[in-house]
Amino acid sequence: MKNIAVIGAGTMGNGIAHTFAQFDYNVQLIDISQASLDRGIATITKNLDRMVAKEKISETDKNRTLGNITTYTSIKEGVQNANLVVEAATENADLKGKIFKELDEVCPADTILATNTSSISITQIAGVTKRPELVIGMHFMNPVPIMKLVEIIRGYNTSDETMDFIVDLTKKINKIPVEVNDYPGFVANRILMPMINESIETLYNGVAGVAEIDTVMKLGMAHPMGPLQLADFIGLDVCLSILNVMYDGFKNPKYAPCPLLVNMVNAGKLGIKSGEGFYDYSESRKAENVAKMFS
């Protein structure tokens, strides 16, 4: 297996493409617009430059990695020789279903179809295809080139051969695969998102401020990043989507998103990507200044 197609050139997609390309896989990076692809390649280049500056890789390594990536604005053209497709589009079940239906129609019959979904049912996604035994979840962590964990999620019909192959491939790109079963949120977000949501509830109820909540969790629980800063880093819209998936899947009120989170997303305060969330990122991408509405 040498040809890996990645659907989506955003934060997760370009990180996945970067990682496979760095390990000498031929990567076909696919997005709907050339502008999105250009931004994705620019991000990969910047991240590689940072690695060169830290002497983790050489300039030759950087150029080889970039040379392993080809961009496409057409799914059909980008996947025609793919052995594996990793979908990393927006966390939306309808969109993913549409993408997988198209992939099933245009990919070679033996192509494995993986999704980077962080919460949506693999079985549901596989259900729109005629190859459910070849559909699997590969939930990478952000930032992909740095984080070691990949949750490997088996759908109801995922074959043992597909699971074994993806676990082995994950190890070949120097990641650590952890096999989990197909329930909303899997493991990482089933535990993480309620913590973030409860942190937002704590703020919403006036128990403490943004910086105080994050400081308690960093100093008291040894978290490298406070939960509100982490929510900004993930994207508040993504957090809301994941919580909604879990709430819909379990019908348990403990997964219901905090009204403050809903209002912030509706107001376009999405975190780092929008320049403001719980912190103000207008001057720095570091969480140094609490957003005006919370200060």
Side-chain angles (χ1 to χ4, degrees):
M1 176 178 285
K2 290 300 291 182
N3 295 314
I4 314 287
V6 178
I7 309 290
T11 300
M12 297 305 295
N14 70 59
I16 294 167
H18 171 161
T19 300
F20 276 112
Q22 195 170 338
F23 283 84
D24 287 327
Y25 289 89
N26 300 317
V27 177
Q28 297 82 49
L29 182 60
I30 305 165
D31 209 308
I32 57 175
S33 75
Q34 189 60 48
S36 296
L37 290 166
D38 291 343
R39 286 193 296 271
I41 294 297
T43 298
I44 294 170
T45 303
K46 181 175 67 175
N47 290 336
L48 288 168
D49 283 337
R50 189 178 295 118
M51 294 174 77
V52 171
K54 293 180 178 179
E55 298 185 346
K56 292 185 176 181
I57 63 171
S58 67
E59 189 73 24
T60 300
D61 294 330
K62 168 196 161 182
N63 293 331
R64 189 190 71 250
T65 298
L66 290 171
N68 287 335
I69 303 173
T70 309
T71 60
Y72 295 86
T73 54
S74 163
I75 287 180
K76 184 176 181 179
E77 292 179 10
V79 303
Q80 59 185 342
N81 296 312
N83 304 117
L84 166 69
V85 178
V86 182
E87 170 273 320
T90 304
E91 192 73 352
N92 178 287
D94 291 338
L95 175 61
K96 290 182 186 296
K98 181 180 177 181
I99 290 172
F100 270 75
K101 193 172 188 305
E102 181 176 357
L103 289 173
D104 190 45
E105 292 170 354
V106 300
C107 287
D110 59 350
T111 300
I112 294 174
L113 306 181
T115 174
N116 183 58
T117 181
S118 55
S119 60
I120 298 169
S121 168
I122 307 306
T123 303
Q124 177 185 345
I125 292 172
V128 306
T129 76
K130 297 181 179 67
R131 62 178 89 191
E133 73 283 358
L134 294 176
V135 178
I136 195 166
M138 292 184 77
H139 179 208
F140 290 83
M141 303 293 126
N142 185 27
V144 180
I146 296 172
M147 300 292 279
K148 290 289 189 181
L149 174 66
V150 182
E151 280 188 304
I152 309 296
I153 307 101
R154 179 196 291 269
Y156 189 82
N157 292 301
T158 305
S159 69
D160 290 341
E161 291 79 10
T162 298
M163 173 63 80
D164 292 344
F165 189 88
I166 293 300
V167 165
D168 183 60
L169 177 66
T170 303
K171 293 175 181 177
K172 287 179 178 177
I173 57 172
N174 201 26
K175 301 296 185 189
I176 299 174
V178 176
E179 299 178 37
V180 305
N181 290 319
D182 189 17
Y183 292 95
F186 315 131
V187 172
N189 282 317
R190 186 168 178 174
I191 295 170
L192 173 63
M193 286 302 154
M195 183 193 73
I196 286 177
N197 198 43
E198 193 62 31
S199 302
I200 299 171
E201 286 277 2
T202 303
L203 175 66
Y204 182 56
N205 292 330
V207 178
V210 170
E212 290 75 14
I213 292 168
D214 277 354
T215 298
V216 166
M217 296 304 290
K218 286 190 288 185
L219 299 185
M221 314 315 174
H223 290 195
M225 187 182 295
L228 299 176
Q229 180 187 358
L230 179 57
D232 277 354
F233 181 73
I234 294 169
L236 302 192
D237 53 338
V238 175
C239 293
L240 179 59
S241 293
I242 295 169
L243 283 165
N244 281 331
V245 167
M246 293 196 295
Y247 184 57
D248 290 343
F250 292 116
K251 301 296 188 291
N252 188 323
K254 75 178 181 179
Y255 299 114
C258 176
L260 175 57
L261 174 61
V262 176
N263 283 343
M264 291 178 71
V265 172
N266 287 339
K269 308 297 185 182
L270 309 181
I272 290 177
K273 71 174 86 175
S274 69
E276 184 180 337
F278 295 105
Y279 293 87
D280 182 341
Y281 301 96
S282 58
E283 296 180 3
S284 170
R285 288 178 61 85
K286 297 180 179 179
E288 297 173 337
N289 301 311
V290 173
K292 185 178 293 185
M293 69 178 292
F294 300 119
S295 59

